[in-house]
């Protein structure tokens, strides 16, 4: 009889559910994809139902339900923090306490009530409920699916219960905690403070800050290290809390922070100036330095050849690429759902390996199955939906479809690409993607402004056949999850005039820098996704067809959504997004829809 474990994360941001069967990942998804509320923190009812349906079971079949956090420890941290800073923070205290006393402190009861409502079971009939610590769940999500038998694990995020940075030794089926840095000293919260100060939304705008960095100069690095961050040689650090408001207030930074940088925080949606670009570059440089120093210390202390990363900071693919290039470790592996959603998976994996003491046999690639762990829709299901909507379409078998799409993409069209199982984590990896020709110099601005409705400076990622990656990029291994940044090879770059080289800031944007300008950032970097026939055969076939036609094995790959919305989940979501944007064609499994036939 199979053993099932259901992992849950909820109530902060990016709620999710993940299901294991005999230690293997069956399904995992974020709640936002079903409710269409970005970063939805609600109890993941829809995600749980999907996981159970995918396995063909009901809740009574589950052996354990595991939550990714220990609420009593978190409550202890809140109380101690407020006491430490009193009387500062009284407004924040008054705001937070009623929610804790009414809901979060009694989380076990809340979870049991939700599970009863979902399943129709009485509370005494529910599966046993377990709790992991927050960073334990992150560490488990990083190490257990990795291809390594033995590895150091570094978790970096805003804050769990107390830990903001934690270091672990992973070996076999065990994770041993080595040391941690506690709240309020947090690299994740430092980066989020600058996200807030530059006018972006905390917990979602950090990508924008990272994308803005190459337009700036690192002018504020010394100021950050002198005034805000006491960074030691071993990578451990302390924040100067005089400048921050997140421990006791309702914002990330305070008046002193604004005075230090000689202006108030940028108003969201207002014009970006060179100053924001320089600040973004500066905090990115500092972040990379912290990560490198920590990694160097961890390598020296543990002697490991490999390292695994999780936590929100592990989504900083520029820092990941730097860590790999520095060669401190032979290889690194980053959990693709590195943020709180991945905590659901980590909680389940921790229970299987540590609590139940089951043997671990690492997969030589990894056990995430390409992160394709969400819902899929059969060809017949899609056909029935299209017919019901009375939509005109062309149905093509794979070889004809790939040939047709290669020609459509070569002509400069933008295609919505929906096939297979939805991705788990924040990146679209060729199942719920918007794709275009990476060689087209207008493609970046077209996608940003006409389709994604987002800031023009933001770069796009290249999806490339895994066996061609080193021909085009300074990278010699797999990067299936779009979590490593590498540089475009010198022989693929375009020479720039003296005038072009002298350009500053956002003026750099529209200068083609390589043979693939749509995915080449202003510093010649690109956020790589290597595509593998074992995990996504159809996307690989499309890249192959495009290469046969054009000589280029690369397409632009960005997530199938518009700004402010989650990535699409169903064919209906995809069609709605397609019709509201400037996309030219939509692929739903084997069905091709032409916008020109739909709008006449």
């Amino acid at each position: 009889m199979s053993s099932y474990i259901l992992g849950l994360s909820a109530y902060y941001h990016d709620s999710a559910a993940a299901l294991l069967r005999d230690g293997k990942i069956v399904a995992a998804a974020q709640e936002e994809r079903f409710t269409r509320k970005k970063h939805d923190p609600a109890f993941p009812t829809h995600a749980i139902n999907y996981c159970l349906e995918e396995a063909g079971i009901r809740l009574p079949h589950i052996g354990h339900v595991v939550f990714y956090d220990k609420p009593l420890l978190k409550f202890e941290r809140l109380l101690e923090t407020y006491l430490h800073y009193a009387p500062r923070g009284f407004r924040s205290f008054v705001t937070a306490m009623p929610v804790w006393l009414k809901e979060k402190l009694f989380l076990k009861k809340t979870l049991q009530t939700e599970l009863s409502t979902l399943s129709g079971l009485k509370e005494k009939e529910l599966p046993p409920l377990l709790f992991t610590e927050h960073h334990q769940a992150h560490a488990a999500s990083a190490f257990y699916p990795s291809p390594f038998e033995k590895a150091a694990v570094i978790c970096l995020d805003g804050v769990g219960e107390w830990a903001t940075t934690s270091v672990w030794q992973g070996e076999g089926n065990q994770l041993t905690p080595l040391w941690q840095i506690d709240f309020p000293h947090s690299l994740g919260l430092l980066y989020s403070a600058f996200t807030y100060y530059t006018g972006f939304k905390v917990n979602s705008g950090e990508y924008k800050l990272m994308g803005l960095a190459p337009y700036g100069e690192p002018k504020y690095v010394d100021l950050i290290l002198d005034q805000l961050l006491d960074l030691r040689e071993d990578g451990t650090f302390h924040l100067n809390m005089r400048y921050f408001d997140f421990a006791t207030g309702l914002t990330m930074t305070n008046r002193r922070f604004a005075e230090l940088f000689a202006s108030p925080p940028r108003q969201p949606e207002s014009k970006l100036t060179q100053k924001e670009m320089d600040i973004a570059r500066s905090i990115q440089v500092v972040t990379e330095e912290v990560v490198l120093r920590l990694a160097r210390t961890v390598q020296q202390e543990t002697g490991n050849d490999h390292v695994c990363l999780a936590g929100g900071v592990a989504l900083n693919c520029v820092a990941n690429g730097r860590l790999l290039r520095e060669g401190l470790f032979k290889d690194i592996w980053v959990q693709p759902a590195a943020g709180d959603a991945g905590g659901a998976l980590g909680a389940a994996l921790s229970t299987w390996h540590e609590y139940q003491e089951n043997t671990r046999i690492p997969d030589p690639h990894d056990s995430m199955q390409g992160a394709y762990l969400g819902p899929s829709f059969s060809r017949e299901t899609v056909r029935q939906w299209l017919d019901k909507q009375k939509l005109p379409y062309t149905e093509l078998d794979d070889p004809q479809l790939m040939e047709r799409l290669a020609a459509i993409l070569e002509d400069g069209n933008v295609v919505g690409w929906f096939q297979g199982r939805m991705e788990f984590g924040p990146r679209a990896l060729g199942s719920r993607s918007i794709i275009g020709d990476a060689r087209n110099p207008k493609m970046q601005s077209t996608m940003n402004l006409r389709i994604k409705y987002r800031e023009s400076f933001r770069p796009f990622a290249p999806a490339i056949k895994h066996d061609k990656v080193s021909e085009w990029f300074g990278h010699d291994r797999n990067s299936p999850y779009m979590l490593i940044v590498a540089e475009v090879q010198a022989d693929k770059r375009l020479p720039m005039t003296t005038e072009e080289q002298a350009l500053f800031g956002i003026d750099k944007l529209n200068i083609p820098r390589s043979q693939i300008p749509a995915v080449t950032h202003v510093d010649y970097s690109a956020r790589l996704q290597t595509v593998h026939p074992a995990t996504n055969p159809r996307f690989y076939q499309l890249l192959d067809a495009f290469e046969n036609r054009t000589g280029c094995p690369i397409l632009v790959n960005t997530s199938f959504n518009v700004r402010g919305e989650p990535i699409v989940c169903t064919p209906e979501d995809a069609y709605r997004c397609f019709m509201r944007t400037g996309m030219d064609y939509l692929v739903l499994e084997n069905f091709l829809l032409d916008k020109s036939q739909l709008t006449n």
Side-chain angles (χ1 to χ4, degrees):
M1 189 173 161
S2 294
S3 171
Y4 290 96
I5 300 170
L6 179 66
L8 305 179
S9 65
Y11 305 126
Y12 183 45
H13 57 93
D14 294 309
S15 291
L19 182 66
L20 305 183
R21 178 172 53 222
D22 299 330
K24 302 278 192 302
I25 308 166
V26 175
Q30 293 112 292
E31 184 70 359
E32 64 163 20
R33 305 293 172 84
F34 304 94
T35 62
R36 313 307 303 152
K37 297 175 189 168
K38 198 167 177 70
H39 303 301
D40 193 343
F43 182 79
T45 300
H46 300 83
I48 293 169
N49 281 330
Y50 153 66
C51 287
L52 296 175
E53 284 168 22
E54 187 68 34
I57 61 170
R58 294 181 301 112
L59 199 63
H61 295 105
I62 299 291
H64 287 95
V65 177
V66 200
F67 193 72
Y68 82 131
D69 233 352
K70 291 201 170 174
L72 287 174
L73 280 176
K74 190 170 276 191
F75 187 65
E76 173 192 85
R77 187 249 301 167
L78 283 175
L79 285 180
E80 285 199 25
T81 301
Y82 285 127
L83 286 169
H84 179 78
Y85 287 100
R88 269 176 62 200
F90 184 71
R91 273 178 62 215
S92 175
F93 178 81
V94 168
T95 305
M97 278 307 111
V99 179
W100 270 92
L101 294 174
K102 187 179 166 191
E103 298 170 15
K104 293 187 177 181
L105 198 53
F106 305 102
L107 191 61
K108 184 173 182 179
K109 179 69 174 170
T110 304
L111 291 170
Q112 287 172 332
T113 302
E114 292 281 9
L115 289 166
S116 289
T117 304
L118 177 147
S119 64
L121 297 173
K122 294 177 180 157
E123 284 187 18
K124 63 183 179 187
E125 299 170 326
L126 292 171
L129 188 57
L130 301 175
F131 294 82
T132 64
E133 288 191 21
H134 188 94
H135 271 234
Q136 182 185 10
H138 275 320
S141 79
F143 176 62
Y144 291 125
S146 81
F148 311 134
E149 170 63 30
K150 180 181 175 184
V153 183
I154 304 174
C155 302
L156 293 153
D157 66 359
V159 60
E161 293 88 2
W162 276 103
T164 66
T165 301
S166 64
V167 176
W168 307 69
Q169 175 67 35
E171 186 165 5
N173 69 347
Q174 288 300 304
L175 271 168
T176 306
L178 301 180
W179 51 268
Q180 67 185 48
I181 299 171
D182 284 346
F183 184 86
H185 309 293
S186 166
L187 184 60
L189 290 173
L190 175 67
Y191 204 89
S192 291
F194 280 93
T195 302
Y196 165 81
Y197 182 73
T198 50
F200 301 121
K201 193 173 179 182
V202 172
N203 289 331
S204 62
E206 285 78 6
Y207 299 126
K208 300 179 186 181
L209 197 64
M210 185 174 65
L212 193 61
Y215 296 98
E217 301 298 323
K219 291 182 177 177
Y220 299 98
V221 169
D222 290 343
L223 186 65
I224 293 168
L225 292 174
D226 289 343
Q227 299 295 328
L228 300 183
L229 185 72
D230 175 16
L231 176 61
R232 287 125 197 197
E233 196 56 44
D234 64 1
T236 58
F237 53 85
H238 262 72
L239 297 186
N240 184 347
M241 295 306 295
R242 291 180 69 249
Y243 293 98
F244 299 97
D245 205 29
F246 61 74
T248 55
L250 302 173
T251 58
M252 294 300 294
T253 62
N254 60 21
R255 177 181 48 78
R256 288 193 191 95
F257 191 103
E259 288 169 357
L260 188 66
F261 289 93
S263 67
R266 170 180 164 261
Q267 286 299 309
E269 308 301 328
S270 63
K271 189 175 186 299
L272 281 163
T273 69
Q274 188 61 45
K275 181 180 178 181
E276 280 83 40
M277 297 172 204
D278 293 341
I279 285 174
R281 177 70 180 278
S282 302
I283 188 57
Q284 180 62 37
V285 166
V286 169
T287 299
E288 290 174 31
E289 185 60 29
V290 175
V291 170
L292 283 174
R293 289 192 192 186
L294 282 170
R296 194 173 291 117
T297 298
V298 169
Q299 202 287 322
Q300 288 167 355
E301 288 180 352
T302 66
N304 283 307
D305 291 331
H306 301 103
V307 67
C308 303
L309 303 177
V313 178
L315 294 170
N316 192 309
C317 47
V318 180
N320 296 343
R322 178 99 185 273
L323 176 58
L324 189 61
R325 286 193 304 278
E326 292 284 331
L328 297 172
F329 295 90
K330 286 182 182 174
D331 209 353
I332 73 173
W333 192 85
V334 185
Q335 165 55 239
D340 275 15
L345 178 60
L349 287 165
S350 175
T351 301
W352 173 258
H353 289 294
E354 297 182 270
Y355 183 76
Q356 296 186 351
E357 299 182 338
N358 286 297
T359 305
R360 173 176 176 262
I361 303 170
D363 184 298
H365 298 291
D366 71 41
S367 61
M368 286 296 294
Q369 303 158 45
Y372 307 113
L373 300 168
S376 63
F377 298 83
S378 70
R379 191 162 167 174
E380 189 54 40
T381 300
V382 176
R383 181 191 288 110
Q384 288 175 7
W385 184 82
L386 289 168
D387 290 343
K388 188 178 178 184
Q389 307 303 315
K390 297 184 169 58
L391 296 171
Y393 59 79
T394 305
E395 184 175 3
L396 298 162
D397 286 334
D398 281 1
Q400 294 80 18
L401 178 63
M402 302 313 168
E403 290 299 320
R404 180 82 181 275
L405 280 175
I408 284 169
L409 290 160
E410 187 186 25
D411 287 342
N413 293 294
V414 179
V415 176
W417 169 257
F418 178 105
Q419 58 94 33
R421 294 184 71 178
M422 182 179 72
E423 302 89 341
F424 182 51
R427 307 288 194 216
L429 301 168
S431 282
R432 305 290 186 271
S433 292
I434 299 172
I435 52 177
D437 185 350
R439 304 166 308 149
N440 188 324
K442 295 179 181 170
M443 189 56 63
Q444 185 197 6
S445 58
T446 296
M447 279 190 165
N448 266 330
L449 302 175
R450 256 182 57 207
I451 291 147
K452 299 285 281 189
Y453 304 133
R454 66 181 204 179
E455 299 86 352
S456 62
F457 67 83
R458 293 180 66 185
F460 287 112
I464 181 169
K465 290 165 63 176
H466 76 98
D467 43 327
K468 295 295 176 81
V469 67
S470 57
E471 293 177 21
W472 289 82
F473 301 98
H475 189 78
D476 64 354
R477 63 199 75 195
N478 296 335
S479 174
Y481 304 120
M482 217 182 272
L483 285 167
I484 302 288
V485 162
E487 290 197 345
V488 175
Q489 291 284 22
D491 66 339
K492 301 293 192 285
R493 299 182 188 183
L494 301 178
M496 292 172 68
T497 66
T498 307
E499 291 81 8
E500 287 171 342
Q501 288 174 348
L503 290 173
F504 215 71
I506 211 76
D507 294 333
K508 298 175 179 180
L509 177 62
N510 295 317
I511 308 300
R513 282 175 160 63
S514 78
Q515 295 172 27
I516 42 171
V519 294
T520 305
H521 210 3
V522 294
D523 57 357
Y524 295 104
S525 69
R527 192 179 73 214
L528 291 179
Q529 182 204 355
T530 56
V531 180
H532 303 256
T535 49
N536 199 333
R538 297 185 81 223
F539 197 33
Y540 187 90
Q541 288 165 28
L542 176 57
L543 288 165
D544 199 44
F546 188 73
E547 183 184 25
N548 289 338
R549 188 176 183 91
T550 66
C552 178
I554 302 169
L555 290 170
V556 180
N557 175 15
T558 188
S559 54
F560 200 149
N561 65 320
V562 295
R563 184 183 181 193
E565 284 193 1
I567 294 172
V568 300
C569 178
T570 67
E572 187 176 357
D573 297 336
Y575 178 74
R576 195 183 306 118
C577 183
F578 171 64
M579 293 305 292
R580 285 171 44 209
T581 62
M583 277 182 264
D584 304 295
Y585 290 85
L586 172 63
V587 176
L588 297 172
E589 292 299 337
N590 287 85
F591 304 92
L592 179 65
L593 284 74
D594 180 343
K595 178 74 70 67
S596 65
Q597 294 177 4
L598 294 163
T599 50
N600 290 341

